[in-house]
Amino acid sequence: MDGFEGFMRTATGHAPHPYQARLAAEGLPELLTAPTGAGKSVAGVLPWLYRRLIAAPESTPRRLVYVLPQHSLPDQLHERIGQWLGRLGCADKVGLYPITDGGWRRHPERTAILVGTHDLLLSRALMRGFGDATVMAPVSYALLHTDTQWVFDEMDLLGPALPTTVELQRLRDEVGTPSPTSTMWMSSDASLPTVARITRLDVDPAYYVDGLVGALTAAHVPGTQTIAVLNTVERARALYVALREAGRDVLLIHPGFRAADRRRLLSELGETGHDRIVVSAQALEAGIDVSSRTLLTELASLSSIVQRAGRCNRYGEHPEGGDLLWCEPPTGGDPDVARWLLAADRPPVRPDTPPRQELRLHDLLELFDTAELFDTAEPDTDVSRWICDAADLTMMVAWRNGKPSDEEPGPGRNELCQVPLADLRQRDQAWVRDRLDGHWRPAVAGDFQPGATVLLEAEHGGYLPDEGWAPQSRTPVTVLAVPPNTQTFACAKWVSLDQHLMETEEEARLLLDALPGLPAEQREAVARAARYHDLGKCHEVFQEMLRAGGGDFPDGLLAKSRAPYNTGRSRRPHFRHELVSALILPDGQPLINYLVAAHHGKVRMTVRPAGEEAPLLMGVRNGDRTPPIELSTGERFPAQSLQTDLFTIGPWTERAKTLLDDLGPFRLAYLETLVRVADWRSSARHDGPVSPDDGEPGRAVGDDSRPPGQGIGGQDEIQHGKWLS
């Protein structure tokens, strides 16, 4: 390849624009403004990738986080980036993940690209990830704030999130991160295309949908594609149905589809030469490369209008010009934008950003404590005010036949559908996984929170393959649950406690060697914490659980039991071995003790009894005895009586807050993450396929040390306190 020009030609088949070549030579700036359709998606990825792989690998962050506005569909962009990586021959070297795939967290040392919408990504950056497993919150948080290049596409469509993104970058610069993290905000010029005629439509609000059908029928040019972009999914769905009944070839695109249907629709959208009408609700404003001869838009914000207009005769493929039609929706619109559209001379302008409640350092520090996420009550901290407007809050739903059994896994990514939170607040026949005992139970009002996941009963409807989320539909929904006889992975051998501890330390040191930059003291704390992290498995409650399924288990202290004997059920349902590990370790090494306690994401800043278990604390009774432990390093831990007062009367929280003040939230979470990843990798050394005929497959031997498999919802959920593979 001949420099960046050859690099880009190989990836895309096109030479770079001068501004794209400048980014590859100089690095990504804080602000990039370019006309819509001028290749900003390419500019947000390939210059970074060129610098990371070729021009400046040591000074270029190893992770790129590409962020689209909330209502966008990242699928097409994800596919395009995958094609670029394939043509460049680096698909094996560079990880590419939708943010909903938790696999990206397993390889913090790998060069990787994450793609997602701003609601999912920013909630993770605030340690309250929408649709993310609660125990994974510190890991997502740590990696998104370390060694990462953020790119925000169409910053003017971010709403309340825009000042949040600015403040997060300022806070990273102020308190420090383990490795540099930067942000680039991208924006389109606020101007309309010169290759389209602009016409206002007057549509009677009393017959609005019928009026749109008539206008689109009259404006559509046979043999071409027409796009209609409405401001709400409800109106888009109604228009789609009306056009279909009128005999038109029509496609409906919005975020409320399950993955397979969404991929199918986007594939159809990518096919050119169709004589059809595409109806959308905001989903085409960013991240989708599509064009039309005629485009109709409802009056919206200036930024949205500009983005929608950029899909009209996008490539100049219609020499006679395109037609941009606009109308005022029944709910009204911004008169300033209307006047701007009607003006003969429309100078480019920057849209005003209304004042928002801004994130501050004290907010970030409060969010670091995740204990509230495991309470049965409604969480005290709602981060949605820093991310999106109330009308844009969403949840994730999936469908199952009847009441889910306690053995039934949570939904995987392919089952999930994003729906407006307002559509679910009064929903009956909804089920959630209890955060404490892992059982499915009927959802109550407090469960309907932004980003939460619920199961709905399929027989009551609510979804249609061509319309997506359809709350008025009573057609039974086709269930996409994973068949119960699917082969899974689990621990394939009995693993002693000493072996697991030594292997976890080894994995930690290998990981540290691949991630330079930490001070020697912190590196050693991570390695030592990895060595000690599971000492608490010596407790009789845990040892009984490992042997409860039977089998030819060996003598001595165990860390893992062999499938199919690893049932994962404890006589103390809330027992947390990492709490015991922290109690076994002597005082005087607060960072190591904290990292040991925090390695499953449940025992962190504040530790509370789980539900009604008091006087126990996470399954541990004050005065419980542990046996002596001898490690192959020669270290000995004598038998002792556990004193849970360290956690119940305040010293633990005060020590944790001191660490948080000294290291800062981004560094402390990163050190937690390194221990956890080392634990995942050492556990994976002994994983193997388990046949459904072997008993209960997929239990993680009584703990959640194996890495989650699905990311959003699904297999990241916990059953009886254990990971399902």
Side-chain angles (χ1 to χ4, degrees):
M1 297 181 191
D2 183 16
F4 181 67
E5 180 173 351
F7 186 85
M8 183 161 166
R9 282 188 182 277
T10 300
T12 68
H14 304 289
H17 294 301
Y19 86 93
Q20 295 168 334
R22 189 163 59 251
L23 299 182
E26 302 173 1
L28 303 189
E30 287 190 345
L31 180 63
L32 174 65
T33 302
T36 183
K40 291 195 301 301
S41 297
V42 172
V45 177
L46 290 182
W48 165 85
L49 185 62
Y50 177 74
R51 293 178 63 80
R52 175 64 191 166
L53 298 182
I54 299 172
E58 297 302 320
S59 60
T60 303
R62 71 182 64 240
R63 268 178 299 282
L64 176 75
V65 177
Y66 197 106
V67 189
L68 293 166
Q70 177 182 359
H71 297 292
S72 306
L73 301 176
D75 308 63
Q76 190 190 81
L77 177 61
H78 182 274
E79 182 179 354
R80 288 175 64 203
I81 295 174
Q83 292 170 352
W84 299 340
L85 295 177
R87 293 168 189 154
L88 289 166
C90 59
D92 294 335
K93 183 186 297 186
V94 180
L96 173 62
Y97 304 93
I99 189 57
T100 53
D101 181 349
W104 66 275
R105 293 178 290 225
R106 308 177 198 179
H107 307 285
E109 79 282 16
R110 190 180 189 190
T111 298
I113 301 172
L114 312 181
V115 181
T117 54
H118 86 256
D119 54 327
L120 298 184
L121 279 157
L122 283 181
S123 60
R124 284 159 173 75
L126 296 174
M127 212 179 286
R128 297 295 185 278
F130 294 170
D132 203 11
T134 52
V135 293
M136 288 294 105
V139 182
S140 300
Y141 175 93
L143 298 181
L144 290 174
H145 290 299
T146 299
D147 215 355
T148 297
Q149 172 68 61
W150 287 78
V151 173
F152 289 95
D153 198 350
E154 301 306 339
M155 55 180 279
D156 297 318
L157 299 179
L158 295 178
L162 180 56
T164 303
T165 66
V166 174
E167 187 63 12
L168 279 174
Q169 184 58 52
R170 189 191 71 79
L171 290 171
R172 285 190 287 262
D173 295 338
E174 177 182 322
V175 305
T177 59
S179 297
T181 291
S182 304
T183 302
M184 178 172 76
W185 292 269
M186 298 196 300
S187 178
S188 297
D189 288 334
S191 56
L192 296 181
T194 58
V195 290
R197 295 170 291 275
I198 302 172
T199 304
R200 176 176 181 170
L201 299 176
D202 291 315
V203 183
D204 187 345
Y207 305 96
Y208 187 71
V209 172
D210 289 340
L212 290 182
V213 170
L216 288 168
T217 300
H220 177 73
V221 177
T224 70
Q225 178 163 274
T226 293
I227 294 177
V229 187
L230 278 62
N231 296 342
T232 70
V233 173
E234 292 79 10
R235 287 201 296 274
R237 191 187 302 116
L239 177 59
Y240 165 80
V241 171
L243 286 167
R244 188 178 57 189
E245 292 175 347
R248 307 299 309 189
D249 182 357
V250 59
L251 198 66
L252 177 63
I253 303 286
H254 62 77
F257 283 92
R258 297 191 293 198
D261 290 328
R262 188 171 63 247
R263 287 192 294 267
R264 170 179 56 83
L265 292 169
L266 287 175
S267 176
E268 292 182 31
L269 182 66
E271 299 172 357
T272 58
H274 277 276
D275 183 342
R276 67 181 175 197
I277 299 175
V278 177
V279 180
S280 173
Q282 300 174 276
L284 303 185
E285 292 181 1
I288 298 291
D289 192 10
V290 65
S291 185
S292 64
R293 164 61 177 75
T294 306
L295 187 138
L296 181 146
T297 174
E298 291 185 326
L299 190 60
S301 69
L302 178 60
S303 300
S304 291
I305 291 290
V306 170
Q307 287 305 307
R308 297 172 188 183
R311 274 68 186 167
C312 181
N313 200 13
R314 184 176 181 85
Y315 318 115
E317 68 271 31
H318 300 288
E320 75 283 7
D323 285 294
L324 175 62
L325 315 176
W326 65 275
C327 64
E328 186 172 318
T331 53
D334 188 336
D336 290 336
V337 177
R339 282 191 289 271
W340 183 79
L341 283 167
L342 291 168
D345 181 20
R346 303 181 192 87
V349 295
R350 297 292 303 167
D352 293 331
T353 301
R356 306 285 189 178
Q357 182 177 358
E358 292 192 3
L359 181 76
R360 291 290 181 253
L361 178 58
H362 68 85
D363 298 312
L364 198 69
L365 296 177
E366 287 180 3
L367 291 169
F368 196 87
D369 190 349
T370 53
E372 67 172 42
L373 298 179
F374 302 99
D375 287 346
T376 54
E378 181 177 338
D380 297 327
T381 306
D382 178 10
V383 300
S384 61
R385 64 185 183 275
W386 293 306
I387 296 174
C388 54
D389 292 317
D392 293 325
L393 298 178
T394 62
M395 290 183 63
M396 305 299 293
V397 302
W399 286 265
R400 296 286 172 85
N401 291 317
K403 175 187 176 181
S405 70
D406 285 338
E407 299 304 313
E408 195 164 347
R413 288 198 315 277
N414 288 336
E415 295 180 75
L416 291 167
C417 177
Q418 186 180 63
V419 306
L421 179 60
D423 286 358
L424 276 173
R425 289 196 185 276
Q426 305 300 322
R427 188 83 180 187
D428 296 328
Q429 296 91 34
W431 304 88
V432 297
R433 178 89 76 185
D434 191 89
R435 288 189 289 266
L436 287 179
D437 62 21
H439 298 300
W440 290 102
R441 60 169 175 78
V444 297
D447 295 316
F448 296 98
Q449 298 295 320
T453 299
V454 300
L455 291 184
L456 302 178
E457 295 187 23
E459 65 179 12
H460 297 290
Y463 184 88
L464 296 169
D466 292 329
E467 296 184 31
W469 171 246
Q472 305 307 317
S473 170
R474 294 298 174 261
T475 302
V477 179
T478 301
V479 175
L480 301 179
V482 177
N485 61 347
T486 301
Q487 188 180 65
T488 58
F489 281 76
C491 188
K493 63 174 290 188
W494 302 97
V495 182
S496 73
L497 179 58
D498 181 74
Q499 179 183 0
H500 177 59
L501 295 179
M502 296 305 106
E503 289 177 345
T504 304
E505 180 182 6
E506 181 181 355
E507 291 288 353
R509 294 192 184 277
L510 290 171
L511 187 59
L512 289 164
D513 288 342
L515 291 166
L518 288 178
E521 181 182 359
Q522 294 175 18
R523 293 169 62 87
E524 188 61 23
V526 168
R528 295 280 294 280
R531 184 194 305 172
Y532 304 142
H533 76 289
D534 273 354
L535 287 174
K537 289 184 176 180
C538 73
H539 195 288
E540 64 177 8
V541 169
F542 201 90
Q543 292 297 307
E544 286 176 10
M545 180 184 67
L546 293 180
R547 293 167 168 80
D552 54 343
F553 49 81
D555 295 332
L557 296 174
L558 295 174
K560 313 245 174 225
S561 57
R562 181 171 71 87
Y565 309 111
N566 42 13
T567 63
R569 290 187 175 83
S570 167
R571 60 182 167 91
R572 296 185 187 174
H574 305 300
F575 182 83
R576 299 308 308 177
H577 66 274
E578 63 268 34
L579 179 67
V580 179
S581 299
L583 291 170
I584 289 174
L585 289 173
D587 290 339
Q589 43 191 15
L591 179 56
I592 294 175
N593 287 22
Y594 175 84
L595 297 178
V596 164
H599 81 271
H600 284 309
K602 285 194 169 184
V603 182
R604 300 183 66 247
M605 303 295 293
T606 304
V607 183
R608 307 169 182 171
E612 304 298 324
E613 69 163 348
L616 273 65
L617 180 66
M618 290 193 163
V620 181
R621 190 187 310 278
N622 195 55
D624 275 355
R625 297 283 300 178
T626 55
I629 308 170
E630 182 172 352
L631 303 182
S632 54
T633 59
E635 295 167 284
R636 293 177 173 83
F637 297 88
Q640 57 183 286
S641 176
L642 302 177
Q643 304 300 312
T644 58
D645 288 351
L646 172 66
F647 288 90
T648 56
I649 63 176
W652 175 264
T653 298
E654 292 306 314
R655 294 178 193 178
K657 287 182 177 178
T658 299
L659 287 172
L660 184 61
D661 291 340
D662 291 345
L663 295 172
F666 308 125
R667 291 192 182 93
L668 185 56
Y670 185 67
L671 299 179
E672 287 183 55
T673 293
L674 296 182
V675 176
R676 296 182 74 177
V677 173
D679 187 23
W680 294 346
R681 293 183 177 183
S682 64
S683 296
R685 291 186 180 192
H686 307 292
D687 280 353
V690 178
S691 169
D693 297 331
D694 288 341
E696 287 193 81
R699 306 288 184 193
V701 249
D703 67 67
D704 44 7
S705 60
R706 65 185 60 238
Q710 293 287 348
I712 184 165
Q715 311 295 13
D716 272 354
E717 295 297 330
I718 298 176
Q719 180 166 338
H720 302 298
K722 276 65 65 181
W723 287 115
L724 298 173
S725 294

